[in-house]
Amino acid sequence: MQLSAEYSSNKKSFKLTIKGIVQGVGFRPFVYQLATKYHLGGIVSNNGSGVLVIIEGKEKEIEFFLRDLVSNNPSLSRIDSLEKEQIELQNRTTFEIIESNSGSISTMLSPDISLCSDCLAEMKDKNNRRYAYPFINCTNCGPRYSIINNLPYDRKNTSMKSFAMCKECQKEYNNPNDRRYHAQPISCYRCGPKLKYISLFGDEEQDGQKAIEKICSLIKEGEVVAIKGIGGFHVVCDATNNDAVASLRKNKHRPTKPLAVMFKNITAIKKFASLKKEDEALILSKERPIVIVAKKENTLLSEFIAPNIDRIGVFLPYTPLHELLLHKLNLPIVATSANLSGEPIILDENEIFKKMPFVTSHLLTYNREIVNACDDSVVQSTFYDRITLRMARGYAPYSMHLEKRASKKILALGANQKVSIALAFDDNVIISPHIGDLGSIESNEYFFKALATLKRVYNFEPEVIVCDKHPRYETTHFAKEYALKHPNVSMIELQHHYAHALAAMAEYALDEDVLAFCFDGTGYGDDGNLWGGEVMLASTQTYKRVCHFKELSLLGGEKAVKEPKRVALSLLFNTFSLDEILQMKSINGKLFNENEIKTLYQMYERGINAPMTSSLGRVFDGVYALSGYRDNISYEGESGLILESVSLKSKTKATYSYDIKDGVIDYTPMILEILKENNKADIAKKFILTVSKIVIDISSQYPKLPVVLSGGVFQNKILVAEITKIFHKMGRKYYIQNKTPLNDGGISLGQVYFALNQKDN
Ligand code: ZN
Ligand code: ZN
Ligand code: FE
């Protein structure tokens, strides 16, 4: 009896409730192995909100168990909260994993994860049964979001369901001590998906290793090919072959937008790019994003990869198939999403030849269905963290836990470009991967498919729906239609730039007054004009527009967005008389001829097809053209990137003059000064420093408020570095999004955060 008393006094039993990314990431076997290591009894199971553990044994050992649980948890898992509650002893001596039961589902859907080092080592090992196997994976790596139909994350709910496991795979799958315990996409040569090479001409088909060899030899010969990745097809060619890259650009109608390049390894990247250690960390991170880094000059890389700019998007192989291809090729390859301009990434091999027969006649594919499309993520390093330009594969679906619980289910639809969808329920916020620009039938379909997946997986029917105020955004139409069909659903239309500010506030869970600089291309303003150079006093409840850039007119509407010289002329119309402009030799005869200037002046004066905008993005365009660049731009932000690149050649620390009167930031003095200059690099540098000075000067008028920087203009590294350097010196509190996109990709997050903070929600 004495022994038993001593025994039980020493023993305790606890119930642990763990929330976060804890399903489908090897968490239960990890708990099992840990419990076994410390001779503890109990159970572990998935439940609706995460993982439930009953742990029983000696107190000291439970302590060790808990320590390891939080410090050594699997690389893909993330513990957001751990509740521990002592319960009555249950005399459990063995530890068991309980099968998952579906129920109320609020646990997190995991993004696709790049090949892990263990699988890579096995893939390179001639004696391993998965030697050179293009679909090797384990609980720490492999596809997730792209193959999932439903939660819980079980094989039967994924596109692996059509591949029956062979005996050996099944054994690994069932063994809690195996790295592949419950790895849903587990497979091998015997039971898994198969590779296939297909030619447009239908004359050749190759399987397996031969298919890889065939596609590699085509790439080496300078052909453009299509390869099925994890979330869609890539269009691929030799990145050192000018003809191949030029042909890809021409046939894909993509004249200048930079192309991402995949390299065999980090050493290979360093031959072509100058990496800071922050860049290197991002490139090697398990999410394997495309990282925008500084391009080296005079390398073997084709000049058409990233024309006119000083940087390049690089990434490493992230699937076993990419690993095999790059190893065999030993060359950097262009790997860009297979899509037509304005359309989403292609998932289906039949679509490749149907939609882009002029781009490629060859494809490497496999027979595992991609359920949910997902593009590559794009990020750039900053000295403090990263800036997310596109949040997709590896990062998204992105989940956040917020203090504020949603009492209603909230759906936010984003803007119209770089659209993402955000959901809020209970204490979760989920952001979808980047969907892209809406407008075409295909991209709208893609949007609805992504929405359907999220609704199905999270068993989510919205009670509140949030959209932009823009009356002509596709997402606004969807929201209005939805609200009409569902009279119980309430609808919120939120101002675009306020949503930018709220996105940053959401990432940092701010619930206080802030001074927000919301600088972007365009968004619909409360006065019906296009906004984009806004300074706001904002809280989670409301905002006040305290300052904005002086309005200019977009001569010809959308046309002005593609032709920066129209914006330059508009800036001049704001400053000079028509006669004065006709006298300017740098304009008349160079940017436009006399008749063009006269016609555009009429447009300007009468306000016909000349919407007004306070967009700073457009001022960038105007300065780009005034400094001597005459070319049209072919992608959003191009003028800013080129100005940023050329500014690096200038050492000046000078700024231009400007005025602020009645809340209007008037840059007319700057325009006058720019016209007297002729060094592009100096103009670019001084302009960027001027924008920084404007931010600092306005901030000084509100010394007590934290500053928020949001909107696509803050993708400009030099601008952000300058502002934040000064804020650091001043000890000023500021916030800029790192983990979520600060361009329009973050609008849905801002929208959801607003709704979440309203009293009734
Ligand atoms: Zn692995
Ligand atoms: Zn197998
Ligand atoms: Fe925006």
Side-chain angles (χ1 to χ4, degrees):
M1 284 318 277
Q2 216 184 358
L3 191 80
S4 162
E6 187 195 62
Y7 174 75
S8 54
S9 72
N10 235 329
K11 255 183 122 185
K12 289 217 163 102
S13 188
F14 293 97
K15 181 174 139 190
L16 313 174
T17 310
I18 304 166
K19 288 186 188 176
I21 300 178
V22 288
Q23 291 190 5
V25 290
F27 203 86
R28 286 178 307 157
F30 158 71
V31 173
Y32 171 90
Q33 283 157 26
L34 218 54
T36 319
K37 177 175 166 192
Y38 292 114
H39 312 288
L40 299 167
I43 54 162
V44 57
S45 68
N46 284 339
N47 68 4
S49 54
V51 162
L52 179 82
V53 183
I54 306 280
I55 194 80
E56 186 164 315
K58 287 191 188 146
E59 206 173 348
K60 197 81 207 151
E61 270 146 3
I62 291 182
E63 225 172 79
F64 290 142
F65 169 86
L66 283 169
R67 182 199 59 196
D68 289 4
L69 187 76
V70 285
S71 57
N72 291 334
N73 53 314
S75 58
L76 299 185
S77 65
R78 187 187 78 202
I79 297 178
D80 288 333
S81 70
L82 190 158
E83 277 168 40
K84 181 179 137 195
E85 180 195 341
Q86 189 166 0
I87 54 171
E88 236 170 76
L89 283 178
Q90 302 178 349
N91 289 321
R92 290 181 187 271
T93 49
T94 57
F95 199 90
E96 272 175 87
I97 297 177
I98 309 285
E99 283 309 309
S100 47
N101 55 8
S102 35
S104 92
I105 293 156
S106 63
T107 35
M108 302 313 151
L109 177 56
S110 167
D112 299 313
I113 299 294
S114 61
L115 183 66
C116 76
S117 54
D118 289 334
C119 285
L120 179 63
E122 288 181 2
M123 200 175 85
K124 286 182 170 169
D125 173 6
K126 284 204 164 94
N127 297 316
N128 192 284
R129 72 188 191 92
R130 292 190 181 87
Y131 172 65
Y133 179 56
F135 304 100
I136 189 168
N137 64 68
C138 69
T139 30
N140 300 320
C141 72
R144 297 281 188 285
Y145 173 73
S146 63
I147 59 166
I148 200 163
N149 275 306
N150 240 321
L151 280 183
Y153 177 60
D154 277 338
R155 193 174 179 106
K156 65 175 191 302
N157 289 330
T158 72
S159 59
M160 282 304 292
K161 131 182 126 188
S162 44
F163 300 93
M165 270 182 254
C166 71
K167 262 193 196 147
E168 267 176 291
C169 286
Q170 186 77 55
K171 226 165 98 190
E172 294 168 331
Y173 183 90
N174 289 341
N175 177 2
N177 287 312
D178 194 283
R179 203 172 84 250
R180 295 196 169 84
Y181 176 75
H182 281 210
Q184 306 306 338
I186 181 180
S187 68
C188 68
Y189 281 108
R190 211 172 305 151
C191 63
K194 300 258 185 307
L195 277 181
K196 187 175 264 183
Y197 160 79
I198 307 174
S199 155
L200 170 65
F201 313 110
D203 52 4
E204 226 182 318
E205 279 201 11
Q206 305 270 11
D207 290 334
Q209 202 53 42
K210 284 220 172 92
I212 291 184
E213 273 161 31
K214 175 75 190 177
I215 215 81
C216 286
S217 64
L218 286 165
I219 294 170
K220 282 189 169 163
E221 285 161 23
E223 292 287 336
V224 176
V225 306
I227 297 174
K228 187 168 178 175
I230 210 158
F233 274 87
H234 277 139
V235 172
V236 170
C237 73
D238 175 355
T240 63
N241 183 327
N242 263 334
D243 293 341
V245 182
S247 133
L248 183 155
R249 281 207 177 278
K250 184 166 155 265
N251 296 326
K252 207 170 173 277
H253 303 294
R254 182 167 160 143
T256 52
K257 193 173 180 185
L259 296 164
V261 182
M262 187 184 274
F263 292 83
K264 185 172 132 182
N265 53 34
I266 195 91
T267 323
I269 296 181
K270 286 179 182 167
K271 284 188 198 143
F272 299 88
S274 317
L275 302 186
K276 295 201 201 108
K277 66 174 194 309
E278 302 90 35
D279 296 326
E280 208 168 319
L282 282 172
I283 294 167
L284 291 165
S285 66
K286 67 178 192 297
E287 290 86 2
R288 288 280 197 276
I290 295 172
V291 185
I292 317 269
V293 298
K295 184 164 75 175
K296 277 190 182 166
E297 275 178 50
N298 305 320
T299 66
L300 286 175
L301 217 57
S302 162
E303 56 184 304
F304 302 124
I305 299 282
N308 306 323
I309 58 172
D310 62 319
R311 54 190 84 167
I312 176 186
V314 300
F315 60 151
L316 292 176
Y318 54 85
T319 68
L321 178 57
H322 292 136
E323 194 68 57
L324 292 168
L325 290 168
L326 270 292
H327 183 77
K328 183 142 208 87
L329 282 165
N330 204 15
L331 289 167
I333 54 171
V334 169
T336 182
S337 299
N339 63 339
L340 294 179
S341 161
E343 290 188 9
I345 188 166
I346 295 175
L347 304 186
D348 179 351
E349 60 207 43
N350 300 313
E351 294 284 299
I352 293 280
F353 292 152
K354 213 159 70 191
K355 293 213 152 161
M356 26 181 46
F358 303 110
V359 178
T360 179
S361 324
H362 311 279
L363 62 85
L364 181 65
T365 185
Y366 56 82
N367 58 343
R368 183 180 67 210
E369 184 203 351
I370 298 172
V371 179
N372 304 301
C374 198
D375 279 281
D376 293 315
S377 290
V378 184
V379 300
Q380 65 189 27
S381 74
T382 59
F383 65 92
Y384 49 89
D385 196 327
R386 66 169 195 252
I387 282 184
T388 305
L389 294 105
R390 189 202 285 159
M391 189 170 75
R393 178 186 49 76
Y395 299 115
Y398 185 78
S399 62
M400 298 169 73
H401 279 279
L402 293 178
E403 288 291 303
K404 174 89 173 61
R405 273 183 85 86
S407 60
K408 288 187 182 147
K409 292 186 172 181
I410 304 165
L411 169 66
L413 300 181
N416 212 53
Q417 286 185 302
K418 305 184 175 66
V419 170
S420 68
I421 297 167
L423 316 179
F425 52 93
D426 304 332
D427 58 352
N428 305 297
V429 168
I430 314 286
I431 311 171
S432 77
H434 162 91
I435 292 169
D437 302 351
L438 300 189
S440 68
I441 295 170
E442 288 78 5
S443 52
N444 291 5
E445 263 173 22
Y446 179 20
F447 172 87
F448 284 116
K449 206 175 159 200
L451 179 58
T453 294
L454 292 173
K455 282 171 70 177
R456 186 175 66 246
V457 162
Y458 290 110
N459 194 14
F460 180 96
E461 282 302 329
E463 293 161 288
V464 179
I465 188 160
V466 200
C467 66
D468 199 276
K469 260 194 177 168
H470 199 300
R472 285 185 305 280
Y473 278 179
E474 300 286 340
T475 44
T476 312
H477 293 309
F478 304 154
K480 286 186 175 163
E481 250 169 57
Y482 196 92
L484 261 182
K485 277 190 209 145
H486 303 81
N488 295 331
V489 173
S490 54
M491 195 178 108
I492 301 172
E493 290 168 80
L494 198 67
Q495 202 283 320
H496 185 92
H497 301 93
Y498 180 37
H500 270 305
L502 286 159
M505 294 170 73
E507 183 169 321
Y508 296 98
L510 300 185
D511 190 10
E512 60 197 276
D513 291 347
V514 300
L515 178 69
F517 292 85
C518 310
F519 295 165
D520 68 354
T522 37
Y524 192 78
D526 288 335
D527 56 4
N529 284 340
L530 296 168
W531 290 7
E534 313 308 308
V535 188
M536 295 177 164
L537 289 177
S539 71
T540 53
Q541 301 305 312
T542 187
Y543 74 96
K544 190 176 154 215
R545 187 192 195 200
V546 290
C547 262
H548 62 86
F549 275 79
K550 182 174 172 171
E551 274 137 353
L552 58 91
S553 48
L554 293 172
L555 304 171
E558 268 305 297
K559 233 179 165 181
V561 178
K562 296 195 176 90
E563 293 181 28
K565 55 187 188 176
R566 286 174 181 252
V567 179
L569 197 58
S570 173
L571 292 174
L572 295 177
F573 288 156
N574 276 349
T575 317
F576 300 98
S577 72
L578 178 60
D579 279 343
E580 284 172 319
I581 294 167
L582 290 171
Q583 302 300 320
M584 290 179 185
K585 290 211 176 80
S586 60
I587 309 298
N588 191 352
K590 278 201 172 158
L591 283 188
F592 295 96
N593 64 38
E594 195 165 323
N595 282 337
E596 286 171 327
I597 295 175
K598 284 180 179 165
T599 315
L600 289 165
Y601 189 73
Q602 287 197 348
M603 243 183 199
Y604 170 79
E605 259 209 329
R606 297 182 193 163
I608 301 164
N609 198 13
M612 301 298 284
T613 182
S614 55
S615 158
L616 179 57
R618 295 293 83 80
V619 180
F620 266 84
D621 289 349
V623 171
Y624 163 87
L626 284 179
S627 68
Y629 291 99
R630 285 175 226 166
D631 292 345
N632 293 346
I633 54 175
S634 74
Y635 60 93
E636 197 207 8
E638 184 172 10
S639 67
L641 267 173
I642 292 178
L643 287 181
E644 210 185 327
S645 294
V646 70
S647 77
L648 291 170
K649 297 194 181 117
S650 167
K651 293 216 158 54
T652 182
K653 289 190 170 131
T655 55
Y656 292 119
S657 319
Y658 72 92
D659 289 324
I660 301 183
K661 231 181 263 157
D662 302 326
V664 177
I665 305 161
D666 182 1
Y667 42 79
T668 312
M670 174 180 86
I671 304 298
L672 295 171
E673 289 170 31
I674 288 177
L675 287 172
K676 290 185 194 129
E677 261 180 290
N678 49 24
N679 181 316
K680 280 179 182 166
D682 285 344
I683 295 175
K685 180 78 179 289
K686 281 164 85 173
F687 171 57
I688 293 170
L689 293 181
T690 306
V691 176
S692 158
K693 187 166 183 294
I694 291 172
V695 171
I696 303 293
D697 286 352
I698 296 175
S699 302
S700 314
Q701 293 171 27
Y702 302 87
K704 295 218 168 78
L705 295 181
V707 173
V708 158
L709 306 174
S710 191
V713 167
F714 291 106
Q715 288 168 183
N716 188 308
K717 262 179 128 164
I718 298 175
L719 176 64
V720 173
E722 188 62 27
I723 296 172
T724 52
K725 189 179 77 196
I726 299 170
F727 279 161
H728 270 287
K729 254 194 226 153
M730 294 164 61
R732 185 75 189 245
K733 225 185 198 176
Y734 70 90
Y735 298 92
I736 179 166
Q737 283 158 272
N738 301 142
K739 309 227 161 4
T740 56
L742 51 61
N743 52 37
D744 281 5
I747 290 289
S748 63
L749 173 61
Q751 292 171 340
V752 118
Y753 196 58
F754 177 79
L756 199 58
N757 278 288
Q758 302 317 299
K759 248 206 314 296
D760 303 335
N761 301 332

